[in-house]
Amino acid sequence: QVHLEESGGDSVQAGGSLRLSCVASSSRLSANCRGWFRQAPGKEREWLASISPGTGSTFYANAVKGRFTLGNAGKTVTLQMNSLQPEDTGMYYCALDGRDEDGQCGPGIYDYNYWGQGTQVTVSA
């Protein structure tokens, strides 16, 4: 069992930046795919980006490519978010694929079986 904890959410104005962190309780699966998802009120959970710490590969959704950047160090995965816009508002979740064997991180919520509780990001115009 792995516990994930997100932090770094805040309220910012459009054009601002935030850095989210996701810390795993154990280093046992630290090489497995880790993903970030966002859920706005009344909308489905949306995949944003994933990283395979084991291979170094990163994957980004078109909506955040060029604005968001993943990083990792040990049990921590970070999401640097720049040029934030009001449409980036939502609850941000970190997820881990406990079944990952090849570092090909999927974009679906069912590709991940460990989830954090989320951290709120609010971007005002």
Side-chain angles (χ1 to χ4, degrees), residues 6 9-10 14 23 34 43-44 48-49 56-58 62 64 69-70 83 92 105 110 112 115 117 122:
E6 305 95 335
D10 205 344
V23 181
R34 201 90 62 93
K43 295 188 176 181
E44 293 185 352
L48 301 175
S57 298
T58 55
N62 288 336
V64 305
T69 305
L70 289 158
S83 301
Y92 282 66
C105 305
Y110 297 108
Y112 302 86
W115 291 84
Q117 294 298 307
T122 303

Side-chain angles (χ1 to χ4, degrees), residues 4 6 22 32-37 45 47 49-51 77 92-98 108-109 111-116:
L4 302 175
E6 305 95 335
C22 171
N32 287 40
C33 285
R34 201 90 62 93
W36 283 96
F37 290 75
R45 196 166 294 190
W47 173 73
S50 295
I51 184 168
V77 167
Y92 282 66
Y93 296 93
C94 173
L96 185 148
D97 179 1
I109 60 173
D111 291 312
Y112 302 86
N113 55 336
Y114 293 102
W115 291 84

Side-chain angles (χ1 to χ4, degrees), residues 10-62:
D10 205 344
S11 296
V12 296
Q13 290 190 330
S17 298
L18 285 174
R19 184 183 181 92
L20 306 184
S21 293
C22 171
V23 181
S25 59
S26 168
S27 60
R28 184 171 66 88
L29 299 177
S30 61
N32 287 40
C33 285
R34 201 90 62 93
W36 283 96
F37 290 75
R38 173 175 69 207
Q39 188 163 20
K43 295 188 176 181
E44 293 185 352
R45 196 166 294 190
E46 169 190 21
W47 173 73
L48 301 175
S50 295
I51 184 168
S52 170
T55 66
S57 298
T58 55
F59 310 85
Y60 295 94
N62 288 336

Side-chain angles (χ1 to χ4, degrees), residues 68-108:
F68 291 10
T69 305
L70 289 158
N72 78 284
K75 295 186 291 183
T76 302
V77 167
T78 59
L79 184 67
Q80 176 66 42
M81 305 188 297
N82 298 327
S83 301
L84 286 164
Q85 299 301 316
E87 53 265 34
D88 293 315
T89 294
M91 186 70 77
Y92 282 66
Y93 296 93
C94 173
L96 185 148
D97 179 1
R99 301 155 296 196
D100 175 28
E101 295 181 353
D102 59 5
Q104 295 301 308
C105 305

Side-chain angles (χ1 to χ4, degrees), residues 2 16 56 71 121:
V2 177
V121 171

